């Protein structure tokens, strides 16, 4: 099914995969394996060509309605900004960093050794702050608090303040929806124009999802 939409990405640099199917990433947490990703993000923006989208399959779901996934619309978030701020953002670029996004994993015992190849293979990259969707032509914000570290060409204080403003803006309730998992549920989202985050309210229960990710193109801005 996923291959109907494009090429499939190989193994994720930080997660295990299903034996015999390198394209299928395992996202599994329980009492011993805590979820370290809690922030809103667009998947793998630390790559030059972030994914087009991902398909997520619920294999083991905690009982009682726990472990949902929230999504938000980056096009709606951009549209809601004041016109002068939209003009200011147009044409800017921001840095996205694997090291920044996986800093908790890297700080764990043995983390830098385990992820040494991923660090080597994923240096910081630069993407437009406002991205044009390649199919619809819609404009959207393309920064996220997990991987975006700074805006190119700005002093650190100005960059930090602007990014924090944007991070807080996109998280507003008016841009969100919530996906409630059941066993064998499937979620499919456009990674180019959304963010998501897990709701980590299920510890110490067992939650296991499997994800397959579709190749994307290099982000661009077209006025």
């Amino acid at each position: 099914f996923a291959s109907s939409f494009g090429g499939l990405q190989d193994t994720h640099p930080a997660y295990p995969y299903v034996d015999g199917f390198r394209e299928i990433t395992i996202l599994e947490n329980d009492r011993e394996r805590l979820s370290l990703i809690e922030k809103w993000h667009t998947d793998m923006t630390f790559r030059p060509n972030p994914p087009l989208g991902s398909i997520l399959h619920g294999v083991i779901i905690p009982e009682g309605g726990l472990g949902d996934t929230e999504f938000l619309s980056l096009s709606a978030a951009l549209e809601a900004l004041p016109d002068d701020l939209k003009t200011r953002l147009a044409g800017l670029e921001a840095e996205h960093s694997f090291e920044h996004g996986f800093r908790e994993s890297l700080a764990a015992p043995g983390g830098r050794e385990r992820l040494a190849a991923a660090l080597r293979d994923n240096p910081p990259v630069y993407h437009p702050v406002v991205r044009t969707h390649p199919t619809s032509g819609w404009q959207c914000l393309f920064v996220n608090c997990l991987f975006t570290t700074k805006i190119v060409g700005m002093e650190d204080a100005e960059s930090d303040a602007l990014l924090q403003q944007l991070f807080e803006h996109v998280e507003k309730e008016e841009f969100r929806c919530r996906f409630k998992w059941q066993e064998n549920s499937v979620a499919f989202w456009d990674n180019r124009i959304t963010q998501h985050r897990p709701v980590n309210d299920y510890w110490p229960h067992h939650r296991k999802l499997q994800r397959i990710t579709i190749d994307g193109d290099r982000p661009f801005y077209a006025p």
Side-chain angles (χ1 to χ4, degrees):
F1 176 63
S3 63
S4 301
F5 298 89
L8 304 181
Q9 298 211 343
D10 202 354
T11 55
H12 189 284
Y15 298 126
Y17 58 87
V18 174
D19 288 344
F21 298 92
R22 293 175 57 88
E23 304 89 349
I24 303 178
T25 298
I26 300 171
L27 306 175
E28 188 167 18
N29 303 105
D30 54 23
R31 182 181 294 275
E32 288 74 33
R33 293 169 290 186
L34 304 181
S35 175
L36 299 179
I37 301 295
E38 296 186 305
K39 295 183 176 181
W40 287 99
H41 63 284
T42 298
D43 280 339
M44 291 184 270
T45 61
F46 57 80
R47 288 185 165 166
N49 291 24
L52 176 153
S54 292
I55 301 174
L56 201 56
H57 171 219
V59 180
I60 299 173
I61 304 301
E63 295 182 358
L66 303 177
D68 295 347
T69 300
E70 289 190 293
F71 294 88
L72 62 79
S73 169
L74 292 171
S75 58
L78 177 66
E79 185 61 30
L81 288 175
D83 287 342
D84 60 339
L85 182 51
K86 286 188 278 191
T87 300
R88 182 185 178 196
L89 297 176
L92 294 178
E93 288 196 330
E95 179 184 88
H96 295 247
S97 166
F98 173 88
E99 183 172 14
H100 181 74
F102 286 89
R103 56 196 179 277
E104 288 89 356
S105 297
L106 290 163
R112 286 207 165 258
E113 292 75 15
R114 181 174 66 87
L115 295 173
L119 276 173
R120 181 195 65 227
D121 296 340
N122 294 281
V125 299
Y126 301 93
H127 297 310
V129 172
V130 177
R131 177 180 185 174
T132 302
H133 193 281
T135 303
S136 68
W138 291 359
Q139 311 285 14
C140 70
L141 284 173
F142 200 66
V143 295
N144 68 91
C145 63
L146 185 61
F147 296 121
T148 309
T149 55
K150 63 183 179 182
I151 296 177
V152 178
M154 284 189 181
E155 296 293 332
D156 288 348
E158 182 184 10
S159 171
D160 291 348
L162 181 54
L163 284 176
Q164 188 60 38
Q165 179 184 359
L166 297 177
F167 296 157
E168 292 176 0
H169 173 73
V170 300
E171 294 179 13
K172 291 179 179 177
E173 290 284 346
E174 63 205 78
F175 309 132
R176 300 188 199 181
C177 67
R178 188 167 179 134
F179 188 88
K180 302 193 72 65
W181 288 99
Q182 300 179 33
E183 187 174 320
N184 288 321
S185 291
V186 173
F188 184 7
W189 66 93
D190 189 332
N191 195 61
R192 300 165 295 186
I193 204 164
T194 61
Q195 288 186 23
H196 61 278
R197 69 169 181 178
V199 179
N200 293 330
D201 59 358
Y202 55 90
W203 187 89
H205 301 290
H206 189 190
R207 181 178 185 260
K208 180 179 180 180
L209 307 176
Q210 293 180 346
R211 184 179 73 191
I212 194 163
T213 302
I214 303 159
D215 288 337
D217 57 350
R218 190 171 187 89
F220 66 93
Y221 170 65

